Amino acid sequence: MFEPVSLRGGEFLMGSDRFYPEERPVRPASVNAFLMDATPATNAQFAQFVMQTGYVTDAEKGGSSHVFVMTGGPVDLRQPSQWWKVVEGACWHSPDGPTAGLKHNPEHLDPDFARLPVVHVSLQDAKAYARWCKGQLPTEAQWEYAARGGLVQADFAWGNVFTPEGQAMAHTWKGSFPWQYSAENKRPAPLAVGSLPANGYGLYDMIGNVWEWTLSPFDLREQTQCPCSLPASDSRLWTLKGGSFLCAAEYCLRYRPAARIGASHLTSTSHIGFRCVYTDGPNLRTRV
């Protein structure tokens, strides 16, 4: 069990001028003190929420969700529909769909599944969970401040070298997207939260593993093609941060604090999760 991390807040430089257009320009931003969950919300935590409230996710109501499926070889990366498939029955407790494996019972989760970040959650689902635990989703500024871990304009959450001294610091795509995967776990999927080192603030999985919802609208400035995202069907988009296990350096170098993409509030996929922040109450203590 990871305890929430208390962050002092303050001014910082947000965005980046070195990568994708939607991250520009670098500008000053500030946030007040807040607590943030040390990891993305897990299946175990979401199961507790569901058991106590009877909540039904948007994916369950709609009967399907988007699941990433590897292609048989190289494909045109301008066509995300080649690796995103709508799968009936795919939802948070059956992330690959009911025919791909065992449906997980919220009351008796497999321990390995319990530690994975919950996915197939829409923005509305994430907000409902946050209300239940007396928190909220972070704004984009809060999220990016936290992800930077106290570093100033570093490319990554731990510095400017992706794998310092050969050590993996984030769970991202390994191989040639979307058809060749060379990681030890043999298939592209989330890792248990906290499997890789924390950043300078003690926060895990801020980069890679799963994209995370924020409360901030995504402006409609030009966005470069991101092969790990879905085409938006809604004119109003919301900001996702952090990148995921599907981000590949050659086409989606978005596993960085400044990186951002937009998604419809109803978007539900196998690579989007969330974490909560807390800004009120007696437990708010500035980090020293």
Side-chain angles (χ1 to χ4, degrees), residues 61-123:
K61 293 174 185 175
S64 64
S65 189
H66 283 86
V67 174
F68 173 81
V69 179
M70 290 178 67
T71 62
V75 295
D76 184 350
L77 292 176
R78 295 171 296 181
Q79 302 295 328
S81 61
Q82 295 180 96
W83 53 86
W84 283 114
K85 307 299 179 185
V86 176
V87 176
E88 291 188 12
C91 64
W92 77 269
H93 55 71
S94 297
D96 295 323
T99 61
L102 179 67
K103 175 180 176 179
H104 296 273
N105 183 339
E107 296 184 10
H108 303 286
L109 292 184
D110 175 87
D112 291 336
F113 181 75
R115 290 186 59 215
L116 296 177
V118 66
V119 292
H120 293 294
V121 283
S122 70
L123 178 61

Side-chain angles (χ1 to χ4, degrees), residues 3-266:
E3 293 297 325
V5 174
S6 184
L7 302 172
R8 187 188 306 277
E11 296 184 352
F12 72 105
L13 292 177
M14 186 171 177
S16 174
D17 292 330
R18 296 190 296 276
F19 293 92
Y20 299 112
E22 65 271 14
E23 301 168 20
R24 303 169 189 159
V26 174
R27 65 270 186 201
S30 64
V31 295
N32 294 325
F34 62 99
L35 288 169
M36 176 177 260
D37 285 339
T39 74
T42 64
N43 287 318
Q45 292 168 323
F46 201 79
Q48 185 178 11
F49 160 61
V50 168
M51 288 188 292
Q52 290 190 14
T53 65
Y55 187 82
V56 179
T57 62
D58 283 335
E60 292 170 290
K61 293 174 185 175
S64 64
S65 189
H66 283 86
V67 174
F68 173 81
V69 179
M70 290 178 67
T71 62
V75 295
D76 184 350
L77 292 176
R78 295 171 296 181
Q79 302 295 328
S81 61
Q82 295 180 96
W83 53 86
W84 283 114
K85 307 299 179 185
V86 176
V87 176
E88 291 188 12
C91 64
W92 77 269
H93 55 71
S94 297
D96 295 323
T99 61
L102 179 67
K103 175 180 176 179
H104 296 273
N105 183 339
E107 296 184 10
H108 303 286
L109 292 184
D110 175 87
D112 291 336
F113 181 75
R115 290 186 59 215
L116 296 177
V118 66
V119 292
H120 293 294
V121 283
S122 70
L123 178 61
Q124 307 310 313
D125 300 332
K127 285 182 174 180
Y129 175 94
R131 288 193 297 270
W132 171 74
C133 64
K134 297 180 173 58
Q136 62 192 54
L137 297 182
T139 64
E140 183 177 6
Q142 286 174 321
W143 193 99
E144 188 167 329
Y145 170 86
R148 290 188 176 278
L151 301 178
V152 179
Q153 282 290 290
D155 288 343
F156 304 108
W158 51 87
N160 290 314
V161 177
F162 181 53
T163 53
E165 298 183 355
Q167 181 175 13
M169 303 295 287
H171 180 40
T172 59
W173 186 273
K174 299 172 180 65
S176 298
F177 186 87
W179 62 279
Q180 183 186 60
Y181 193 69
S182 58
E184 292 180 0
N185 59 352
K186 308 301 182 185
R187 61 185 291 270
L191 284 180
V193 301
S195 296
L196 294 171
N199 73 357
Y201 287 155
L203 297 162
Y204 295 87
D205 302 315
M206 294 298 292
I207 302 300
N209 216 8
V210 294
W211 284 100
E212 298 183 17
W213 285 111
T214 76
L215 286 178
S216 297
F218 183 87
D219 57 52
L220 294 178
R221 291 174 293 177
E222 179 186 358
Q223 180 179 349
T224 49
Q225 175 66 30
C226 178
C228 66
S229 65
L230 287 164
S233 58
D234 193 330
S235 60
R236 189 175 190 189
L237 306 179
W238 302 88
T239 302
L240 292 163
K241 298 285 282 185
S244 79
F245 64 93
L246 298 181
C247 283
E250 62 267 38
Y251 293 110
C252 181
L253 211 166
R254 286 181 170 83
Y255 37 85
R256 297 172 291 101
R260 58 201 298 269
I261 60 173
S264 163
H265 70 288
L266 293 175

